[in-house]
Amino acid sequence: MRRLAARGAAGDAREVAAPGADIWDCARGWSPSSSRLTDLCALWQPGVFLPSADGSRASAGVGKSRPNEAEKLSTVWKAHIERHKASGARGLGSGEQGLVLRMARQQAPPWVHIALILFLLSLGGAIEIPMDPSIQNELTQPPTITKQSVKDHIVDPRDNILIECEAKGNPAPSFHWTRNSRFFNIAKDPRVSMRRRSGTLVIDFRSGGRPEEYEGEYQCFARNKFGTALSNRIRLQVSKSPLWPKENLDPVVVQEGAPLTLQCNPPPGLPSPVIFWMSSSMEPITQDKRVSQGHNGDLYFSNVMLQDMQTDYSCNARFHFTHTIQQKNPFTLKVLTNNPYNDSSLRNHPDIYSARGVAERTPSFMYPQGTSSSQMVLRGMDLLLECIASGVPTPDIAWYKKGGDLPSNKAKFENFNKALRITNVSEEDSGEYFCLASNKMGSIRHTISVRVKAAPYWLDEPKNLILAPGEDGRLVCRANGNPKPTVQWMVNGEPLQSAPPNPNREVAGDTIIFRDTQISSRAVYQCNTSNEHGYLLANAFVSVLDVPPRMLSARNQLIRVILYNRTRLDCPFFGSPIPTLRWFKNGQGSNLDGGNYHVYENGSLEIKMIRKEDQGIYTCVATNILGKAENQVRLEVKDPTRIYRMPEDQVAKRGTTVQLECRVKHDPSLKLTVSWLKDDEPLYIGNRMKKEDDSLTIFGVAERDQGSYTCMASTELDQDLAKAYLTVLADQATPTNRLAALPKGRPDRPRDLELTDLAERSVRLTWIPGDDNNSPITDYVVQFEEDQFQPGVWHDHSRFPGSVNSAVLHLSPYVNYQFRVIAVNEVGSSHPSLPSERYRTSGAPPESNPSDVKGEGTRKNNMEITWTPMNATSAFGPNLRYIVKWRRRETRETWNNVTVWGSRYVVGQTPVYVPYEIRVQAENDFGKGPEPDTIIGYSGEDYPRAAPTEVKIRVLNSTAISLQWNRVYSDTVQGQLREYRAYYWRESSLLKNLWVSQKRQQASFPGDRPRGVVARLFPYSNYKLEMVVVNGRGDGPRSETKEFTTPEGVPSAPRRFRVRQPNLETINLEWDHPEHPNGILIGYILRYVPFNGTKLGKQMVENFSPNQTKFSVQRADPVSRYRFSLSARTQVGSGEAATEESPAPPNEATPTAAPDEQSIWNVTVLPNSKWANITWKHNFRPGTDFVVEYIDSNHTKKTVPVKAQAQPIQLTDLFPGMTYTLRVYSRDNEGISSTVITFMTSTAYTNNQADIATQGWFIGLMCAIALLVLILLIVCFIKRSRGGKYPVREKKDVPLGPEDPKEEDGSFDYSDEDNKPLQGSQTSLDGTIKQQESDDSLVDYGEGGEGQFNEDGSFIGQYTVKKDKEETEGNESSEATSPVNAIYSLA
């Protein structure tokens, strides 16, 4: 398959792309080329070739710009492009880019993807046409409709009828019409004619006829030999303004305070008339929240007052086209009242209703009726909801939306809050709205269910397709609506099914695929998509071109470059099939590519490092099967500009002379300019300075001359800079005259200002200096005031040395100047002089344009263009205004423009987040300013449409997780991607009965990234998490909810750790459990150390069970104090500690003596992970305020004001594991401060915990449990071997009595309860049986009288709590706890 497209490049050779870059990447919407030459990322508009001058996205075929036709890349093609580049290709060819640009990002139905995805990957691209007029005139083009009347065309019956239809093509198309789907023979009707070279119909009624006879549905057909284009179906209707039917209206009688509706019922007109109410004397009816007109035209009285019958009421209808007003017969209103006196003084009474004896009533709705209603509205239209209520007093109306807020950016209240209008309705505005009518008697509400439907709107409008012979391509027609619209394809105005078969064409739903197109494949295709609410009709032609190579840039260009720089030579060309391009130097040698040369896909030749031998003539040759074309570029190499002797830093005394050298070497063929900067601002060369070609001399150096001086040497191709710093030393000489010892003061004001040498743009100002008051005048400041923009406000104009009293002032046009002068010496500034006389300069066109031009969307369908307005000295003339121009960047459409007097303009009905080119040009009555720069702005953003997918969570530790997700596609962001955001909340704790806050928290991940970390979680908890993508508008939809569990962590510090000392011998400690256990508590660790001043004792450690919250410490001596540190433990380790100190004994001596002067000493810090207690000592008077200042390791300074008696101070906003520096100082005198101390907070959690399996206590506990289990197993084995009867002598070693019953085998019956040992008795070591207080038997522990046994005879029943309790209370012998007795009783 041949690759067919236009390729080219443009731009100044000084603009250089990075090596290996894809210079022309239309698919990504950029190009490094300058806009000076034609950019071939071009758009084919119907009949006109438009280039993309800034390298923005381009398409092989786009029709007229519409809000929903932004070119987008599908995700499949993005991956295909990346694979193509990664495989070593030199970037996409223009043909491939064109195909990519025509592919929509909208996901096709699954069956379409399965059938076509492999085929679409193999499709070629489309031709992109340059703007060259000679090429445009040669190329043939099927017809394209360029202008047509609106679909619903309403005309004035008094005028001739005009139905527009214009088209273009090459050759020029012919036109014919259908009326009501039948051929309309214009020749048979003498009133109907068609304009020359146009399809516009003109129906003339000057010779008679009725316009109503021509009503119907019209459609225009534009045809040439390459195809037929269709207009929309235009429904022609004649405007009607019928008269009001005559009627006699009886007087309307109503009781005062009752509601009333005066119905209008206007005659139906086309279009509907505008309704308004007036009296018969043509006075408008005053409306307020009590009396108002409804949307249907009726006049509603919430309650009638006696004053309402002072006039009559007439409904009026104004018809738009005929400009006539029809008036209905007036209503006469009679009000029955209990108070017939209409005292005007009562109108301002706070309760006029009770004053007039009107009974108060609860609200009720006059419109709409009932408690609920429904309303349907189409997408993009305005939704108007109305609620009118009656009641006494007049009810107030409020509006709400169920389940959400009203859309504040497009909702507004009308008709005294009785109507709610929502503009530009979208699907998100559907739902239930309700109005609430309330007064002091009660309230009532009405619910309105709103359904949003949609006429078809474009997702992908078919675009013109321009191909070369053998090229592949496709047309896509995708629209959306509610209900879903159907799609019908036509070719040249005929249904596709009835068109002649074309083996190179295949229809797949909303897509037509073309393979191996030929010249005969040219045609115009129509896509008609419709539903019950409307239709869309689009034309898109398929054109096949065969063009020999053509060069697009000027011939024999001269490019001058600096030695050793990188440059690029451009050779834009066009041809079909795509020509191959080769470069030659000086008309000989092989093709230039490789080494120091690199040829890009668009034909540009890059020279990576220019050398002297690269100078010469370069020839580019483009060749295809139809011929070849060539162009030449002459390259000249120039020497760089270099400062070889730079100025040096100098230190000079005041009054001496300083010389700064700056010697330059440059190319002699280039013009050199040397200028000086002081402190990076242009240096004013005064009479104390002398500027020469290679130096700058300053005479009589003063302190104001100190600063940095920059020498800037520049040519038209390059520049070089060198900087030096001048330091001025003050004169320390002892005064030698009497005046030097006199007191110094500010100078007196200058006087006698005079304007001379009046010129168009300048004037000379002369003044007489005032007395310098023993301090020489160093500067004069000239200020000006103008009386047009800011009268009375003085601005600095210029500054002059103190040695001058006359200066030439450069002025701006059209400013009415007034000047004054201020003298300055080392003491200060004088008072301003008296103003000079005024001088107005003549006007001129502006020489600059407004700055800070921006284009940003405030809504999803607009763009607000703003700028900083120009001041008085920039206006240059009266009536300063701004010409604002804008156009879509990628479509390269014609400029829209408007004239604005302010500093902002809002462009409406824009697509969501598309780039615009913006220009703002100043203009006054004398003319326009210079051509403005083009600024790129963006229309408003909409909420993102997609959520991150494949969200994966990995738990890092007990307080942090790692997130990973798949990024959303850029077209679903619908704006600038600000960040990915994770919403997470603590669902529950793994500890039972622990309440947790389920407040949602969020973590932000700025930029387009696929991973992040969420920290500061609570350990040992269940969490849920959702992710969204965020743009400038807000959050997108939420992802699937993920759940995760954090492992156990170390606990927080015990709460309310209290140290009390009831006496000198004992210290009592109490505490509460940690607020955040972060796991299962296994105990507490207490560390305490005695101290006496600076002397510390041995640290002691105590371990407590998790339920213990008290402990007492016996003091070793009555003098020492104790410092306690208490922390809780989980299996993970010890958490943060709570620290306290025991109180000082009453007789404890002060460790150090207070200083004699006021000071602060002994600052003590007891830090924890998130807080620290601060104490200090001082000798200030009581009530002195102090300030605690602390700085973290990030150099963030914070201060805490505190009273003297408020110690200790707790700092609560610290971060774990961070180093702080701290000092305490007096609030009244910051100079009195403590020494600076450094401390570090502890970490909140620790990971270096000892393994529990290696702890001695744990090993001992396990051994004890194993021993007990072994004993129980032995006992169970003995019991199993002794079921039923057993020899008594094996049980106990006692002689048998004669009364002992026995069996024949010499054994006792176990069931004989008269003589067996009682349950609850114990056997002593001498074999006797001790009777216990409990006489319970085994039956007592069973169910009734029958005990429960296993099959082996062992007892099942469990001892009840009651029995255990009785045994404990009745047996006080120490033998009850003897392990020997326990084993005997079990056996």
Side-chain angles (χ1 to χ4, degrees):
M1 180 181 66
R2 290 178 295 171
R3 300 171 62 205
L4 308 170
R7 296 178 182 170
D12 196 316
R14 285 172 289 174
E15 298 181 355
V16 181
D22 294 322
I23 297 299
W24 290 103
D25 195 342
C26 303
R28 285 186 289 175
W30 63 267
S31 170
S33 316
S34 169
S35 58
R36 289 175 55 188
L37 300 179
T38 303
D39 184 338
L40 290 186
C41 279
L43 304 178
W44 174 276
Q45 290 280 30
V48 178
F49 303 109
L50 297 178
S52 175
D54 61 350
S56 61
R57 291 186 200 174
S59 172
V62 294
K64 293 183 68 177
S65 174
R66 292 177 174 83
N68 293 306
E69 65 179 29
E71 294 293 324
K72 301 174 182 176
L73 286 172
S74 70
T75 55
V76 174
W77 276 90
K78 277 188 175 178
H80 178 59
I81 294 170
E82 296 302 325
R83 289 197 301 270
H84 183 78
K85 290 183 176 179
S87 64
R90 296 183 302 175
L92 291 175
S94 302
E96 294 164 326
Q97 296 164 6
L99 172 63
V100 170
L101 293 169
R102 291 193 309 277
M103 297 190 65
R105 179 168 289 172
Q106 299 295 334
Q107 293 294 325
W111 63 271
V112 175
H113 269 291
I114 295 173
L116 298 181
I117 187 168
L118 294 177
F119 169 74
L120 292 179
L121 288 174
S122 64
L123 289 180
I127 297 293
E128 296 173 358
I129 306 299
M131 257 189 88
D132 194 302
S134 61
I135 297 179
Q136 295 183 36
N137 294 334
E138 292 177 7
L139 299 182
T140 58
Q141 177 185 334
T144 301
I145 300 292
T146 60
K147 189 176 183 182
Q148 55 183 316
S149 295
V150 296
K151 293 179 181 179
D152 291 316
H153 189 32
I154 302 175
V155 297
D156 192 332
R158 300 170 299 178
D159 298 332
N160 293 335
I161 295 176
L162 197 70
I163 311 177
E164 292 184 314
C165 176
E166 296 183 7
K168 58 185 173 183
N170 191 10
S174 60
F175 300 86
H176 73 269
W177 287 81
T178 62
R179 178 185 175 196
N180 298 328
S181 301
R182 301 180 63 181
F183 176 72
F184 185 39
N185 194 340
I186 299 174
K188 291 186 177 181
D189 193 332
R191 295 192 187 92
V192 182
S193 62
M194 190 183 299
R195 285 182 176 175
R196 188 173 175 227
R197 295 181 181 177
S198 168
T200 299
L201 288 183
V202 180
I203 306 177
D204 192 347
F205 298 102
R206 287 179 295 183
S207 58
R210 298 180 63 251
E212 291 79 4
E213 298 175 357
Y214 291 90
E215 290 185 327
E217 188 177 78
Y218 292 79
Q219 190 167 25
C220 174
F221 293 73
R223 173 182 292 123
N224 66 13
K225 64 179 181 179
F226 301 119
T228 302
L230 278 64
S231 72
N232 289 324
R233 296 187 295 274
I234 302 169
R235 184 185 178 192
L236 179 66
Q237 295 175 282
V238 178
S239 174
K240 298 176 177 61
S241 53
L243 297 176
W244 222 299
K246 293 184 178 181
E247 52 184 341
N248 293 322
L249 301 177
D250 296 331
V252 179
V253 181
V254 64
Q255 183 70 36
E256 187 175 18
L260 173 64
T261 302
L262 299 181
Q263 296 183 348
C264 180
N265 297 327
L270 188 69
S272 299
V274 177
I275 305 300
F276 56 95
W277 286 80
M278 303 185 74
S279 65
S280 57
S281 60
M282 301 307 291
E283 294 291 333
I285 301 299
T286 302
Q287 299 188 27
D288 51 27
K289 76 173 185 176
R290 184 180 65 88
V291 182
S292 63
Q293 176 185 319
H295 184 62
N296 60 0
D298 295 347
L299 189 63
Y300 292 91
F301 295 77
S302 294
N303 50 75
V304 175
M305 301 300 293
L306 183 63
Q307 66 202 46
D308 296 329
M309 71 175 187
Q310 295 179 358
T311 183
D312 50 9
Y313 300 87
S314 177
C315 182
N316 297 265
R318 180 171 62 85
F319 295 91
H320 172 69
F321 277 90
T322 58
H323 302 288
T324 58
I325 296 177
Q326 305 285 353
Q327 188 176 47
K328 185 175 182 175
N329 287 340
F331 290 95
T332 300
L333 183 61
K334 293 185 177 180
V335 181
L336 304 179
T337 179
N338 298 326
N339 187 354
Y341 300 103
N342 188 11
D343 189 353
S344 60
S345 64
L346 293 178
R347 294 186 181 182
N348 297 324
H349 195 278
D351 193 354
I352 186 174
Y353 298 102
S354 60
R356 294 201 53 77
V358 177
E360 296 178 334
R361 290 184 295 104
T362 57
S364 62
F365 282 111
M366 306 174 69
Y367 180 86
Q369 301 291 331
T371 59
S372 62
S373 59
S374 62
Q375 192 166 334
M376 190 274 287
V377 64
L378 290 181
R379 179 181 185 270
M381 306 296 289
D382 285 1
L383 170 64
L384 183 66
L385 305 178
E386 191 172 33
C387 281
I388 302 176
S390 65
V392 178
T394 304
D396 294 311
I397 305 294
W399 290 91
Y400 305 92
K401 183 180 181 182
K402 290 186 177 179
D405 298 328
L406 296 175
S408 58
N409 56 342
K410 57 181 182 178
K412 58 181 180 179
F413 303 105
E414 300 177 353
N415 198 16
F416 310 100
N417 268 25
K418 299 179 184 179
L420 169 65
R421 182 181 297 275
I422 300 178
T423 59
N424 193 20
V425 170
S426 59
E427 288 78 358
E428 62 191 24
D429 296 319
S430 60
E432 290 190 353
Y433 297 77
F434 66 89
C435 57
L436 184 69
S438 59
N439 62 12
K440 66 180 182 180
M441 300 301 294
S443 63
I444 187 175
R445 77 176 187 176
H446 182 93
T447 301
I448 305 174
S449 179
V450 175
R451 294 174 295 115
V452 178
K453 299 291 185 179
Y457 57 92
W458 290 117
L459 298 177
D460 284 295
E461 185 179 1
K463 309 297 188 299
N464 295 329
L465 190 60
I466 305 172
L467 305 170
E471 181 77 2
D472 295 347
R474 65 173 186 156
L475 295 176
V476 179
C477 175
R478 291 197 185 116
N480 199 5
N482 187 6
K484 184 72 176 179
T486 58
V487 175
Q488 178 191 11
W489 285 101
M490 294 182 289
V491 57
N492 296 328
E494 299 294 333
L496 197 61
Q497 297 82 353
S498 59
N502 186 346
N504 300 332
R505 179 181 64 210
E506 179 183 344
V507 180
D510 56 10
T511 303
I512 299 180
I513 302 169
F514 300 93
R515 302 186 186 89
D516 193 22
T517 55
Q518 301 302 322
I519 298 296
S520 59
S521 301
R522 291 180 289 193
V524 182
Y525 289 83
Q526 290 83 32
C527 173
N528 183 67
T529 174
S530 61
N531 64 11
E532 62 188 60
H533 302 297
Y535 74 94
L536 293 173
L537 178 67
N539 294 274
F541 63 68
V542 176
S543 182
V544 183
L545 298 179
D546 226 351
V547 180
R550 298 284 295 272
M551 291 297 171
L552 304 178
S553 61
R555 308 187 71 83
N556 301 321
Q557 296 183 72
L558 172 62
I559 303 296
R560 297 185 299 174
V561 296
I562 297 297
L563 186 66
Y564 305 126
N565 279 1
R566 178 187 299 176
T567 191
R568 191 185 66 243
L569 306 181
D570 294 328
C571 182
F573 62 93
F574 171 73
S576 177
I578 295 177
T580 58
L581 187 78
R582 294 181 298 169
W583 282 89
F584 302 94
K585 181 182 176 184
N586 296 329
Q588 58 185 358
S590 59
N591 181 31
L592 299 178
D593 196 3
N596 197 35
Y597 301 101
H598 178 70
V599 179
Y600 289 99
E601 284 281 332
N602 63 352
S604 294
L605 173 66
E606 181 186 59
I607 306 176
K608 299 176 183 178
M609 180 180 290
I610 292 293
R611 298 162 298 186
K612 282 291 187 181
E613 54 267 29
D614 292 324
Q615 185 166 288
I617 297 176
Y618 290 79
T619 304
C620 60
V621 180
T623 308
N624 69 5
I625 59 175
L626 301 178
K628 72 175 184 178
E630 65 179 44
N631 198 358
Q632 291 184 342
V633 178
R634 184 158 59 94
L635 181 66
E636 291 185 357
V637 181
K638 305 295 182 181
D639 291 327
T641 302
R642 293 290 179 266
I643 299 176
Y644 66 92
R645 181 167 294 180
M646 294 178 268
E648 297 179 352
D649 294 344
Q650 297 190 38
V651 178
K653 292 184 178 181
R654 187 173 61 180
T656 60
T657 299
V658 171
Q659 185 178 55
L660 300 173
E661 280 191 305
C662 182
R663 299 190 180 184
V664 184
K665 180 181 179 181
H666 70 289
D667 193 292
S669 64
L670 302 177
K671 181 180 179 182
L672 176 67
T673 302
V674 178
S675 57
W676 288 85
L677 308 177
K678 182 179 184 296
D679 297 329
D680 298 326
E681 296 291 337
L683 176 65
Y684 170 74
I685 307 297
N687 56 4
R688 294 188 303 107
M689 297 184 183
K690 181 179 181 182
K691 174 179 169 291
E692 298 177 312
D693 292 341
D694 56 359
S695 65
L696 173 68
T697 304
I698 306 175
F699 302 97
V701 171
E703 284 86 348
R704 64 178 180 273
D705 295 323
Q706 180 170 298
S708 65
Y709 289 81
T710 303
C711 175
M712 184 169 63
S714 59
T715 66
E716 57 263 43
L717 295 183
D718 67 340
Q719 68 175 16
D720 195 15
L721 303 175
K723 182 179 290 189
Y725 194 88
L726 174 63
T727 303
V728 179
L729 300 179
D731 188 1
Q732 301 296 332
T734 303
T736 58
N737 55 67
R738 183 178 58 84
L739 293 177
L742 295 177
K744 299 179 180 180
R746 297 190 304 172
D748 293 343
R749 71 174 69 185
R751 56 189 177 85
D752 297 342
L753 273 62
E754 182 181 5
L755 297 179
T756 58
D757 300 342
L758 305 178
E760 185 176 358
R761 293 288 183 91
S762 66
V763 67
R764 176 173 290 276
L765 175 65
T766 304
W767 64 91
I768 296 177
D771 193 333
D772 64 3
N773 293 322
N774 305 316
S775 178
I777 296 174
T778 58
D779 294 277
Y780 287 104
V781 178
V782 177
Q783 295 182 330
F784 76 94
E785 179 261 351
E786 53 84 26
D787 59 359
Q788 182 176 357
F789 288 89
Q790 292 179 298
V793 179
W794 290 89
H795 307 273
D796 287 349
H797 183 281
S798 50
R799 197 178 189 99
F800 299 98
S803 58
V804 303
N805 68 331
S806 179
V808 175
L809 308 181
H810 298 283
L811 310 180
S812 297
Y814 202 72
V815 178
N816 194 17
Y817 282 100
Q818 184 175 233
F819 301 98
R820 70 182 185 184
V821 181
I822 299 174
V824 181
N825 64 10
E826 64 179 12
V827 179
S829 300
S830 71
H831 293 292
S833 68
L834 296 177
S836 70
E837 61 184 9
R838 288 195 177 272
Y839 174 63
R840 178 183 290 277
T841 56
S842 58
E847 294 182 358
S848 62
N849 289 308
S851 60
D852 198 23
V853 179
K854 296 179 182 178
E856 298 174 345
T858 59
R859 299 180 180 178
K860 69 179 181 180
N861 60 349
N862 78 353
M863 178 180 63
E864 184 180 60
I865 303 173
T866 59
W867 56 90
T868 300
M870 299 167 63
N871 56 27
T873 58
S874 303
F876 285 20
N879 296 324
L880 178 65
R881 51 199 179 268
Y882 305 97
I883 302 174
V884 183
K885 297 181 180 180
W886 71 94
R887 68 177 179 184
R888 285 272 297 276
R889 182 179 183 183
E890 59 255 14
T891 59
R892 311 298 296 170
E893 60 191 8
T894 57
W895 289 94
N896 302 285
N897 66 82
V898 66
T899 299
V900 179
W901 295 84
S903 61
R904 62 184 292 270
Y905 180 74
V906 178
V907 180
Q909 301 301 319
T910 63
V912 174
Y913 199 69
V914 296
Y916 278 83
E917 294 179 335
I918 302 170
R919 296 178 180 175
V920 180
Q921 184 180 27
E923 183 184 30
N924 59 25
D925 288 354
F926 289 95
K928 297 180 179 179
E931 195 65 27
D933 295 333
T934 300
I935 305 299
I936 302 302
Y938 285 85
S939 57
E941 303 178 60
D942 200 356
Y943 295 107
R945 291 190 285 109
T949 57
E950 299 294 331
V951 179
K952 297 178 181 179
I953 299 175
R954 181 168 63 91
V955 178
L956 300 177
N957 52 45
S958 60
T959 62
I961 61 170
S962 172
L963 289 177
Q964 188 171 353
W965 60 88
N966 287 348
R967 294 176 290 187
V968 298
Y969 299 123
S970 58
D971 67 310
T972 64
V973 177
Q974 300 198 113
Q976 182 181 5
L977 193 153
R978 299 290 179 87
E979 63 183 30
Y980 288 90
R981 183 178 296 167
Y983 289 101
Y984 60 95
W985 63 97
R986 192 182 182 192
E987 189 70 15
S988 63
S989 172
L990 293 179
L991 296 172
K992 295 182 179 179
N993 302 323
L994 180 64
W995 180 87
V996 298
S997 171
Q998 295 184 341
K999 180 180 178 181
R1000 286 181 174 244
Q1001 296 175 286
Q1002 67 183 45
S1004 298
F1005 311 105
D1008 191 8
R1009 59 171 69 180
R1011 61 182 60 88
V1013 175
V1014 178
R1016 307 186 74 175
L1017 302 175
F1018 285 99
Y1020 213 54
S1021 301
N1022 296 316
Y1023 275 89
K1024 291 185 177 181
L1025 179 143
E1026 297 171 340
M1027 289 204 67
V1028 298
V1029 62
V1030 182
N1031 62 13
R1033 182 78 184 275
D1035 291 3
R1038 282 170 165 71
S1039 68
E1040 177 186 0
T1041 302
K1042 296 289 185 178
E1043 299 182 1
F1044 64 92
T1045 301
T1046 53
E1048 196 171 9
V1050 295
S1052 60
R1055 291 181 296 172
R1056 290 186 286 276
F1057 185 29
R1058 304 173 293 281
V1059 179
R1060 296 185 176 91
Q1061 186 170 318
N1063 51 57
L1064 295 178
E1065 290 79 20
T1066 305
I1067 299 175
N1068 295 331
L1069 309 180
E1070 296 182 10
W1071 63 89
D1072 293 342
H1073 296 301
E1075 180 181 4
H1076 302 293
N1078 296 335
I1080 301 174
L1081 292 181
I1082 62 173
Y1084 294 91
I1085 295 180
L1086 174 68
R1087 294 181 174 88
Y1088 58 99
V1089 59
F1091 68 94
N1092 187 356
T1094 59
K1095 183 179 179 181
L1096 298 178
K1098 181 181 178 181
Q1099 177 175 295
M1100 289 161 280
V1101 179
E1102 298 284 348
N1103 289 286
F1104 307 124
S1105 67
N1107 295 324
Q1108 183 171 345
T1109 58
K1110 295 181 179 180
F1111 183 67
S1112 295
V1113 176
Q1114 299 300 320
R1115 291 174 62 109
D1117 60 79
V1119 177
S1120 298
R1121 297 174 61 190
Y1122 287 83
R1123 185 174 294 123
F1124 298 95
S1125 174
L1126 178 68
S1127 60
R1129 291 189 299 128
T1130 63
Q1131 293 288 353
V1132 179
S1134 298
E1136 56 184 304
T1139 58
E1140 288 290 342
E1141 291 184 0
S1142 62
N1147 57 352
E1148 181 176 354
T1150 304
T1152 57
D1156 295 335
E1157 298 179 355
Q1158 287 184 331
S1159 61
I1160 303 169
W1161 72 97
N1162 277 11
V1163 177
T1164 304
V1165 180
L1166 298 178
N1168 209 310
S1169 64
K1170 297 182 180 179
W1171 50 268
N1173 287 334
I1174 314 297
T1175 59
W1176 63 90
K1177 295 183 178 180
H1178 66 90
N1179 53 7
F1180 287 83
R1181 57 181 174 80
T1184 302
D1185 292 343
F1186 293 91
V1187 177
V1188 178
E1189 176 187 277
Y1190 56 103
I1191 305 173
D1192 62 20
S1193 53
N1194 294 328
H1195 306 290
T1196 301
K1197 180 190 292 185
K1198 296 184 180 180
T1199 58
V1200 178
V1202 62
K1203 294 290 185 180
Q1205 64 272 19
Q1207 296 187 51
I1209 301 304
Q1210 189 172 80
L1211 307 181
T1212 58
D1213 57 349
L1214 308 182
F1215 293 94
M1218 183 168 285
T1219 301
Y1220 291 85
T1221 58
L1222 178 142
R1223 71 182 181 110
V1224 181
Y1225 60 87
S1226 169
R1227 188 173 182 179
D1228 297 330
N1229 187 357
E1230 187 175 347
I1232 303 178
S1233 169
S1234 70
T1235 59
V1236 177
I1237 63 172
T1238 302
F1239 69 94
M1240 176 183 289
T1241 55
S1242 60
T1243 56
Y1245 308 109
T1246 176
N1247 294 324
N1248 299 322
Q1249 302 296 333
D1251 189 354
I1252 190 173
T1254 62
Q1255 301 297 307
W1257 63 268
F1258 181 78
I1259 297 174
L1261 178 62
M1262 292 296 101
C1263 292
I1265 293 174
L1267 180 60
L1268 289 176
V1269 172
L1270 180 60
I1271 294 173
L1272 289 175
L1273 289 175
I1274 294 172
V1275 171
C1276 291
F1277 178 78
I1278 295 173
K1279 291 197 65 178
R1280 284 175 62 95
S1281 64
R1282 293 187 177 183
K1285 302 175 182 178
Y1286 58 93
V1288 176
R1289 289 173 183 82
E1290 294 179 345
K1291 165 75 172 160
K1292 56 187 176 177
D1293 189 13
V1294 294
L1296 291 176
E1299 70 281 2
D1300 293 336
K1302 62 181 173 180
E1303 296 290 330
E1304 295 179 355
D1305 57 0
S1307 64
F1308 285 98
D1309 188 351
Y1310 186 81
S1311 64
D1312 187 359
E1313 300 181 2
D1314 295 331
N1315 296 296
K1316 72 172 185 175
L1318 295 174
Q1319 296 288 343
S1321 67
Q1322 294 186 355
T1323 305
S1324 65
L1325 293 176
D1326 61 356
T1328 62
I1329 301 174
K1330 295 184 180 180
Q1331 181 67 36
Q1332 304 296 323
E1333 292 181 7
S1334 176
D1335 294 330
D1336 296 336
S1337 66
L1338 290 173
V1339 177
D1340 294 332
Y1341 298 100
E1343 298 295 333
E1346 297 180 1
Q1348 296 183 7
F1349 294 83
N1350 284 331
E1351 294 178 358
D1352 60 354
S1354 60
F1355 187 60
I1356 298 177
Q1358 301 294 324
Y1359 291 95
T1360 65
V1361 176
K1362 176 177 180 293
K1363 298 298 179 182
D1364 291 335
K1365 181 178 181 183
E1366 290 173 353
E1367 289 177 4
T1368 303
E1369 294 174 350
N1371 185 4
E1372 298 178 357
S1373 173
S1374 62
E1375 295 178 349
T1377 59
S1378 171
V1380 178
N1381 290 334
I1383 295 175
Y1384 270 106
S1385 64
L1386 289 173

